[in-house]
């Protein structure tokens, strides 16, 4: 799941609705990858650390849903002929980006997204982050400022997703989209976009059900008190 999707899912919980630092934490592992840094450490327990935990729990459920696995297979089939690494990455990330568009259109969270980014300012939640690399805090702040100024991407069409994939994969030799593969990937993304539109509602239902089951299992095990 991409960072905007994680923010959306974070708002399904009481902490995510009440404290924007929880939403920030839910996006932080993705942001760390975007600035090529290891995830920062935070005080625990805190809304930030709980949000980070939510990110990993959501990923564990999301990546195992039947609908997402089917989308990855269908996307890969649609891009057959391109390099294997490129196909797998483009199908996986492409499905997540198209899902972002579906979520933004039907369950908009632009205000919560902006509030979470504001909460990451150096004088706010950003002060609670301990990065392992010397310049990671500076790179994160540059990313946070850029994302806040840009807002939620409105264009999640196949061509916009293709351009984002090009940028995202450019530094990965085994995954990047070479010129010869570009037409195949473009055409495959057209089909994948339609598949996501068809499967997204079921995927979201599977995710909700999976997260509820995990929460119920924790309650049953006595790991924390039910609210």
């Amino acid at each position: 799941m991409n960072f905007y999707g994680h923010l959306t899912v974070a708002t399904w919980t009481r902490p995510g609705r009440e404290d924007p630092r929880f939403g920030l934490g839910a996006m932080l592992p993705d942001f760390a990858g975007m600035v090529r840094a290891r995830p920062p450490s935070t005080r625990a327990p805190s809304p930030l650390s709980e949000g980070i935990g939510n990110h990993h729990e959501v990923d564990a459920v999301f990546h195992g849903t039947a609908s997402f696995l089917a989308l990855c297979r269908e996307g890969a089939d649609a891009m057959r002929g391109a390099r294997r690494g490129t196909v797998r990455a483009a199908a996986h990330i492409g499905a997540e980006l198209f899902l972002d568009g579906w979520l933004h259109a039907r369950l908009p969270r632009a205000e919560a997204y902006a509030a979470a980014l504001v909460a990451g300012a150096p004088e706010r939640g950003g002060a609670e982050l301990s990065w392992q690399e010397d310049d990671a805090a500076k790179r994160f702040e540059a990313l946070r400022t850029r994302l806040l100024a840009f807002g939620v991407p409105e264009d999640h069409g196949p061509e916009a997703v293709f351009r984002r994939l090009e940028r995202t994969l450019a530094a990965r030799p085994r995954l990047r989209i070479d010129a010869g593969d570009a037409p195949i990937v473009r055409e495959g993304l057209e089909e994948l976009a339609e598949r996501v539109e068809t499967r997204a509602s079921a995927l979201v239902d599977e995710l909700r059900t999976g997260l509820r089951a995990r929460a119920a299992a924790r309650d049953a095990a006595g790991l924390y008190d039910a609210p």
Side-chain angles (χ1 to χ4, degrees):
M1 178 163 273
N2 195 41
F3 60 84
Y4 181 77
H6 275 289
L7 182 279
T8 300
V9 176
T11 65
W12 297 353
T13 68
R14 180 179 52 79
R17 291 191 296 271
E18 295 180 354
D19 196 322
R21 291 174 297 169
F22 185 90
L24 174 65
M27 295 189 285
L28 262 176
D30 284 345
F31 290 161
M34 292 166 71
V35 300
R36 303 196 180 282
R38 286 165 287 185
S41 58
T42 65
R43 290 198 309 264
S46 73
L48 270 171
S49 66
E50 290 165 2
I52 292 171
N54 177 265
H55 174 104
H56 295 304
E57 182 166 50
V58 169
D59 266 355
V61 176
F62 176 82
H63 290 138
T65 60
S67 293
F68 181 70
L69 293 172
L71 286 171
C72 288
R73 289 194 303 270
E74 292 163 358
D77 286 343
M79 299 177 207
R80 189 173 296 161
R83 293 188 307 148
R84 183 178 180 182
T86 299
V87 165
R88 293 181 66 182
H92 184 118
I93 301 172
E96 294 182 341
L97 293 176
F98 287 131
L99 181 62
D100 274 1
W102 189 93
L103 289 168
H104 182 53
R106 291 160 181 80
L107 303 168
R109 296 293 188 269
E111 290 185 8
Y113 175 66
L117 290 172
V118 169
E123 68 276 13
R124 298 189 178 189
E128 300 178 35
L129 303 178
S130 298
W131 297 90
Q132 299 181 57
E133 296 83 2
D134 292 340
D135 61 344
K138 184 180 295 185
R139 283 182 274 146
F140 168 67
E141 178 57 17
L143 172 67
R144 186 193 70 84
T145 302
R146 186 169 69 252
L147 292 175
L148 185 59
F150 188 77
V152 180
E154 297 291 338
D155 187 358
H156 289 89
E159 183 58 28
V161 168
F162 175 82
R163 292 195 298 270
R164 289 180 69 180
L165 285 169
E166 271 195 317
R167 293 193 298 270
T168 300
L169 303 176
R172 307 283 296 277
R174 295 184 179 180
L175 307 181
R176 69 187 178 204
I177 303 173
D178 291 341
D181 289 339
I184 301 173
V185 174
R186 274 193 165 98
E187 185 174 350
L189 288 172
E190 295 273 357
E191 182 174 333
L192 181 57
E194 296 176 3
R195 299 281 186 163
V196 171
E197 189 69 22
T198 299
R199 292 189 181 274
S201 182
L203 196 164
V204 169
D205 287 346
E206 287 178 61
L207 179 58
R208 286 184 185 273
T209 299
L211 291 172
R212 287 182 181 130
R214 288 174 72 101
R218 282 197 301 270
D219 287 345
L223 297 181
Y224 62 75
D225 294 331

